[in-house]
Amino acid sequence: MDQIINNLQQFWDYTGFANTTYQHILMICIGLGFIAMGIIKEWEPLLLIPIGFGMIIGNIPLYPGLSVGIYEEGSVFNILYHGVTQGWYPPLIFLGIGAMTDFSSLISNPKLLLIGAAAQFGIFAAYSIALLLGFEANAAGAIGIIGGADGPTAIFLSSRLAPDLMGAIAVSAYSYMALVPLIQPPIMLLFTTKKERLIRMKAPRVVSKMEKVIFPIVGLLLTAFIVPSALPLLGMLFFGNLLKESGVTRRLAETARGPMIDIVTILIGLTVGCSTQADKFLQLESVLIFGLGAFSFIVATAAGVLFVKILNLFLKPENKINPLIGNAGVSAVPDSARVSQLVGLTFDRTNHLLMHAMGPNVAGVIGSAVAAGILLGFLS
Amino acid sequence: MKRYNKFICTGLLLLFHFSLSGQNVIDLRLNELLIINTEDFQDDFGVQSSWFEIFNISYGTVDIGGCYLSNDPNDLKKYTIPRGDVLTKIKPRQHVLFWADNKPYRGSFHVNFTLEDSPVLILTSSDGKTILDMVTLPTDMEPNQSYGRVVDGEGSFGPNSDDSGWAVLSRTSPSTNNYTLDGKSRSEMMKETDPYGLLMAILAMSVVFIALIILTFVFKGTGSIALKSFQKKADAYNKTKKVSLAETSAETFAAIAMAIHLYANENEVHDIETTILTIERGRKNYSPWSSKFYTLRKMPERRNK
């Protein structure tokens, strides 16, 4: 009888109920919140649902030593998590992004690239504030990159600069990317006048195939020579784009932008979610990271909008840019461009800004990868 | 022609393979040596002998097995480093230590010569001819004083190397770095020099802007070249095809009118391309599930022997 009771006691000790803490429950609730946002509001469901479910998996209370948890060496989740910690997944995601991105709007109007550069200001503003709050320079750099609004870049950089903070940074970056439709419009409206919002931009010209093929090659050579540390991201981004634009590697491009990016998105989302284990995640630092991430995002959006306004001072009236596409300089592709379109339509139902906004949007991807490379070069 | 291409591809692959293999061992450098050892490092047998260190300067693992060591320029193959020993694989930016005690039976890392009274120390590739690195041994060394590269792996190397980069070191450092940082990481130094992040913000934003400004100008240039070439082609086409409205057939007008009508009222039959109005070509996608061929039983074939 004692033996049975002992076995039952041991079994009870192994169950999640015996090991539950209020932090686990809180994290599971946050995970459920993510899933709800993804399903009900349809905010970035491809990211929020894997991350949310990963949060639930990662916060099932475990008896230590079972080789099940994500931080236990040799467990399945630990092996999958290597793709995040070693930085394999982000370049693969960039390959897929490159294979699905049409850079035509950027090639037809190259000055839109500068908006993508201006929006990176959010990264460095958050870096400064993080330093003032007492973070080390490498951690501050990793936190600042949230302002780039680029999940894979944030994961890539934080895995190199501040692996301990990666869970919080990744979740923060993806959360704010999902909240783009909520965060950006008020800032866009705050910094623009009604007259500016009605600016009609010149239709982009037709871009030849040759230009589209040259773009990834020249783009890679120029940016990677300036910031070689961003090579994993830029190399894969432009390679994916060449697969798409060359016209002779359709199968490879379709795999990169289809099944491959889907697989990597599932793995990255799930493992990042799992990494938010309550004991590692629920700390004051995480709260600060979320706050700094929001600040960084707001500054990035404002910087993009304000830069367009400044740029307009030097442009001829027929070449003026609608500042409502300034927000798209952050690289949340294509959500921030979609926000430009939706906000633009509320003021003029016939003024479609989407194709114009895609220019700074994809420039933001390049800009944030370059910024990540610079931070890596300075701080690693 | 296809066979010819295969040969080229195979040749290129082999070349690539050999160049990679070559890349590996050429990353090895003689790094530090101690000739007279009376109070310094002891080997696993508790014996103090002269030693030397080899450094892998690359960021990949290099297997030193099969290479040769010698103290005689006329006999480059004096000591063969055994193959198949797991310890001969030198990890990225790591060192391996050899004991020059003339006792090779004590293991892979005990060579069959000593450094005392040796004029040189030579590391030769596995082909037995290519000298990877060599160093002329100084004759005026004090006991327990080491001679090495001031910064690990840096300085002249190869068959004609001089002593540049080498010096008598202030302390011996067998199997560790000759040169070490003062303990502060780049991140810590950055925080000290730029506590508010302003310098970083200015520098980094400048680099981001410079990179993207260069891209802007390059693509403005390629854009204007593309536009000019497009214009040229259009002009050439207009010159050769001077078709007046009067010469245009009624069928052409009917086709254009039909296309516009379909575009306006039945948009789904068109593919949408900027500035080009076309009627989408009907496609019938092939699928083995719908193929008649696969649904038929295959007729048996008679083979003539």
Side-chain angles (χ1 to χ4, degrees):
Chain A
M1 189 63 186
D2 283 350
Q3 182 66 29
I4 293 169
I5 290 169
N6 279 342
N7 284 347
L8 283 173
Q9 179 65 43
Q10 203 175 4
F11 175 72
W12 171 253
D13 289 342
Y14 276 131
T15 62
F17 298 107
N19 296 295
T20 305
T21 61
Y22 76 92
Q23 288 101 327
H24 288 113
I25 303 294
L26 181 62
M27 287 307 299
I28 289 173
C29 290
I30 295 173
L32 289 172
F34 271 51
I35 293 172
M37 277 199 291
I39 295 173
I40 299 165
K41 295 282 182 184
E42 290 190 27
W43 290 338
E44 294 274 354
L46 300 182
L47 296 172
L48 288 189
I49 290 176
I51 292 176
F53 204 80
M55 280 179 163
I56 298 174
I57 292 175
N59 285 286
I60 300 293
L62 294 171
Y63 188 84
L66 293 176
S67 275
V68 173
I70 195 162
Y71 294 109
E72 291 181 315
E73 211 160 315
S75 74
V76 175
F77 289 120
N78 181 264
I79 290 165
L80 296 178
Y81 191 49
H82 268 65
V84 176
T85 53
Q86 302 292 318
W88 307 329
Y89 295 150
L92 291 175
I93 297 258
F94 262 62
L95 177 70
I97 293 172
M100 65 171 70
T101 304
D102 185 355
F103 284 96
S104 301
S105 53
L106 197 63
I107 300 168
S108 69
N109 194 359
K111 63 177 171 287
L112 298 180
L113 269 163
L114 300 177
I115 305 172
Q120 307 313 318
F121 185 68
I123 295 174
F124 301 103
Y127 169 79
S128 297
I129 302 293
L131 281 181
L132 288 175
L133 287 175
F135 282 98
E136 285 303 315
N138 53 343
I143 294 166
I145 201 71
I146 298 171
D150 199 325
T153 309
I155 289 173
F156 179 76
L157 192 70
S158 54
S159 70
R160 304 292 161 97
L161 292 183
D164 295 344
L165 304 178
M166 191 173 55
I169 289 170
V171 172
S172 171
Y174 279 118
S175 308
Y176 292 127
M177 280 166 69
L179 296 174
V180 157
L182 279 186
I183 298 172
Q184 289 197 321
I187 303 159
M188 293 157 70
L189 298 180
L190 182 69
F191 290 107
T192 51
T193 62
K194 197 174 178 190
K195 195 181 163 195
E196 285 168 334
R197 291 174 213 147
L198 296 174
I199 291 175
R200 276 178 180 266
M201 293 174 66
K202 226 165 50 175
R205 68 174 173 83
V206 180
V207 174
S208 67
K209 188 188 168 187
M210 181 57 80
E211 285 176 273
K212 286 183 183 179
V213 171
I214 289 172
F215 181 80
I217 298 168
V218 175
L220 172 70
L221 288 173
L222 286 178
T223 50
F225 267 84
I226 295 172
V227 196
S229 43
L231 193 60
L233 299 176
L234 292 169
M236 293 299 245
L237 177 78
F238 287 122
F239 172 55
N241 192 245
L242 183 64
L243 291 180
K244 174 182 181 284
E245 300 299 353
S246 66
V248 290
T249 51
R250 225 180 72 192
R251 272 171 48 199
L252 301 186
E254 276 171 6
T255 304
R257 67 172 164 248
M260 199 204 68
I261 199 169
D262 289 348
I263 291 167
V264 183
T265 304
I266 290 169
L267 293 175
I268 204 170
L270 196 72
T271 49
V272 162
C274 284
S275 70
T276 61
Q277 219 165 280
D279 54 333
K280 314 252 180 213
F281 189 78
L282 280 181
Q283 289 165 6
L284 179 66
E285 275 183 341
S286 304
V287 179
L288 288 176
I289 288 168
F290 267 76
L292 284 166
F295 171 76
S296 168
F297 217 86
I298 290 166
V299 175
T301 307
V305 174
L306 290 172
F307 181 77
V308 175
K309 288 174 68 134
I310 295 167
L311 201 62
N312 275 343
L313 298 175
F314 304 98
L315 295 175
K316 290 176 192 166
E318 67 271 20
N319 289 335
K320 290 232 189 277
I321 301 170
N322 191 320
L324 289 181
I325 69 165
N327 71 301
V330 302
S331 73
V333 183
D335 301 76
S336 50
R338 214 180 288 150
V339 168
S340 304
Q341 162 83 351
L342 292 174
V343 176
L345 285 180
T346 55
F347 293 95
D348 180 353
R349 285 179 54 203
T350 58
N351 193 7
H352 295 275
L353 294 173
L354 185 65
M355 59 187 168
H356 302 292
M358 279 309 288
N361 210 185
V362 292
V365 178
I366 301 171
S368 62
V370 171
I374 296 165
L375 287 168
L376 201 59
F378 275 101
L379 303 173
S380 67
Chain B
M1 188 64 190
K2 274 184 182 171
R3 190 177 291 173
Y4 183 65
N5 285 345
K6 270 183 193 170
F7 276 124
I8 293 175
C9 288
T10 317
L12 284 173
L13 278 174
L14 281 172
L15 189 72
F16 183 62
H17 171 76
F18 284 126
S19 64
L20 271 187
S21 308
Q23 244 177 13
N24 280 336
V25 284
I26 61 163
D27 290 328
L28 297 173
R29 301 280 184 277
L30 294 166
N31 199 54
E32 187 183 356
L33 54 94
L34 186 139
I35 300 171
I36 308 162
N37 184 358
T38 57
E39 294 174 356
D40 200 72
F41 206 48
Q42 292 180 348
D43 65 11
D44 291 343
F45 300 89
V47 180
Q48 282 150 332
S49 331
S50 48
W51 53 260
F52 58 91
E53 186 185 73
I54 294 173
F55 180 60
N56 170 14
I57 63 162
S58 76
Y59 289 85
T61 299
V62 176
D63 190 355
I64 198 175
C67 292
Y68 300 95
L69 289 162
S70 176
N71 62 346
D72 181 0
N74 298 318
D75 180 12
L76 295 178
K77 294 184 178 182
K78 194 164 189 177
Y79 178 73
T80 311
I81 302 168
R83 289 180 195 272
D85 187 332
V86 287
L87 296 175
T88 57
K89 286 180 181 152
I90 313 176
K91 287 186 176 170
R93 309 287 297 170
Q94 294 290 315
H95 310 78
V96 68
L97 193 75
F98 283 88
W99 296 96
D101 53 3
N102 199 18
K103 289 171 184 166
Y105 49 84
R106 284 193 161 171
S108 304
F109 299 98
H110 292 259
V111 301
N112 57 356
F113 57 86
T114 62
L115 293 185
E116 289 169 36
D117 305 324
S118 295
V120 287
L121 178 62
I122 306 168
L123 171 66
T124 307
S125 172
S126 53
D127 63 7
K129 294 172 194 162
T130 314
I131 293 177
L132 300 171
D133 199 6
M134 67 182 286
V135 59
T136 308
L137 304 187
T139 50
D140 53 349
M141 294 295 290
E142 299 284 326
N144 308 310
Q145 200 174 36
S146 76
Y147 180 64
R149 293 179 188 273
V150 178
V151 179
D152 298 74
E154 290 191 9
S156 79
F157 68 96
N160 304 315
S161 68
D162 52 31
D163 294 343
S164 64
W166 286 76
V168 175
L169 302 179
S170 56
R171 60 181 175 89
T172 62
S173 55
S175 293
T176 56
N177 287 76
N178 300 351
Y179 173 77
T180 47
L181 295 169
D182 64 354
K184 279 184 185 166
S185 68
R186 288 171 78 184
S187 157
E188 284 167 335
M189 287 193 282
M190 195 72 200
K191 196 176 179 182
E192 269 180 22
T193 51
D194 181 27
Y196 304 111
L198 289 177
L199 188 67
M200 167 67 107
I202 293 166
L203 270 174
M205 282 306 287
S206 310
V207 176
V208 174
F209 264 103
I210 288 169
L212 296 186
I213 284 171
I214 294 172
L215 266 185
T216 305
F217 280 112
V218 169
F219 288 109
K220 271 209 156 167
T222 52
S224 57
I225 292 167
L227 275 179
K228 274 180 195 163
S229 103
F230 182 75
Q231 192 59 46
K232 246 185 198 172
K233 275 184 192 165
D235 291 345
Y237 181 80
N238 288 338
K239 270 182 195 167
T240 52
K241 291 252 175 185
K242 278 191 177 168
V243 183
S244 70
L245 280 179
E247 287 167 351
T248 310
S249 68
E251 286 85 354
T252 310
F253 284 125
I256 294 169
M258 176 62 93
I260 292 169
H261 170 76
L262 289 174
Y263 180 74
N265 301 311
E266 295 169 50
N267 208 16
E268 69 275 8
V269 296
H270 285 273
D271 58 337
I272 295 162
E273 290 175 44
T274 325
T275 72
I276 300 170
L277 187 63
T278 55
I279 297 177
E280 192 174 24
R281 187 182 296 167
R283 284 199 194 98
K284 199 173 180 184
N285 288 335
Y286 169 80
S287 159
W289 298 104
S290 58
S291 166
K292 203 169 182 183
F293 178 79
Y294 286 104
T295 59
L296 294 175
R297 187 188 294 266
K298 207 174 176 187
M299 288 295 286
E301 285 176 27
R302 171 181 280 176
R303 289 190 178 172
N304 296 323
K305 286 190 179 176

